[in-house]
Amino acid sequence: MIGVFDSGHGGLTVLRALVAAAPGRPFVYLGDHAAAPYGPRSEEDIYRLTVQGVERLFAQGCGLVVLACNTAAAVALRRMQRTWLPVAHPGRNVLGVLVPMVEAITRVPWMQDGPAADWRPEPRTVGVFATPATVASGSFPREIGKRAPDVQVVQQACPDLVPLIERGAGDAELAPAVRGYVRALLAQLDGRPLDAAVLGCTHYPLVAHLFAEALPPGVEVLCQPSLVARSLDNYLERHPEYVPAAGEAAGRLHFFTTGAAEPVGALAGRFFGRPTPFERLSP
């Protein structure tokens, strides 16, 4: 089975795309709702909680886990891959949602820490809307800058969006918040044009239409779920050892939370597109 981990509901937008791309593939989802949101937490807290969540998914029989949380991926992924996994869980792996977005923007594979040999400058300005922790980590500008030095990255933290979305706020309440964050990012550009906007949180696909309305005409809005689904398919082609065995709970979906199952499940359908029966997973 393949695990999908998030601090809350947002990763369900990624899981929805993964299931649509491969409906016969078994997945286990874990939302760390008891500790959410991760955005305001320290880097050490985020790393510790992410490791705990991945451990729980490994204990459920997952050999591969996707961090469907930009905050967790930005803060914890590289450290986990380099220092924790080789020692604690050799033969298992963890991927993150930040990787496919960086590859899509730069057109350079993640494992390549510099521009491609045939790379030609393509000056562009990309805006990143994300949680405070993702912005503070500097992961998007750092990883994009390594691979495409001529791409200027401007970031804008959006601290209110996840809490608003999680409590089921409607467009009337969400639209002013989105417009405010867009104005703040555009102000950083001082009149320079914006080419693309990255929605760097897996909650934000639910408000992509509001970003599209608030941004200047012609700005490309980049969402992660479809990019992650395509990236996972490519990864499994290169690493068949992580492909679930034939007949291994084909198409089964398990939904776990560290919080209270009933209220989590009640809101989850908005993210996943259909009812999702959650179970509480005790430590």
Side-chain angles (χ1 to χ4, degrees), residues 83-158:
T83 65
W84 177 67
L85 281 170
V87 174
H89 296 284
R92 295 183 177 182
N93 203 6
V94 180
L95 308 176
V97 290
L98 185 141
V99 173
M101 182 67 81
V102 170
E103 291 181 333
I105 292 168
T106 65
R107 303 178 184 88
V108 176
W110 177 259
M111 297 309 293
Q112 183 171 315
D113 276 347
D118 60 350
W119 180 76
R120 295 291 181 271
E122 186 183 351
R124 288 184 297 154
T125 300
V126 175
V128 175
F129 297 94
T131 66
T134 298
V135 168
S137 75
S139 291
F140 275 106
R142 181 176 62 251
E143 301 300 342
I144 291 170
K146 285 180 187 176
R147 298 162 177 82
D150 276 23
V151 175
Q152 180 187 6
V153 181
V154 180
Q155 299 189 98
Q156 178 59 48
C158 308

Side-chain angles (χ1 to χ4, degrees), residues 239-263:
H239 299 275
E241 67 270 24
Y242 294 117
V243 176
E248 182 190 333
R252 281 292 296 276
L253 300 175
H254 299 271
F255 299 91
F256 293 105
T257 177
T258 59
E262 189 172 338

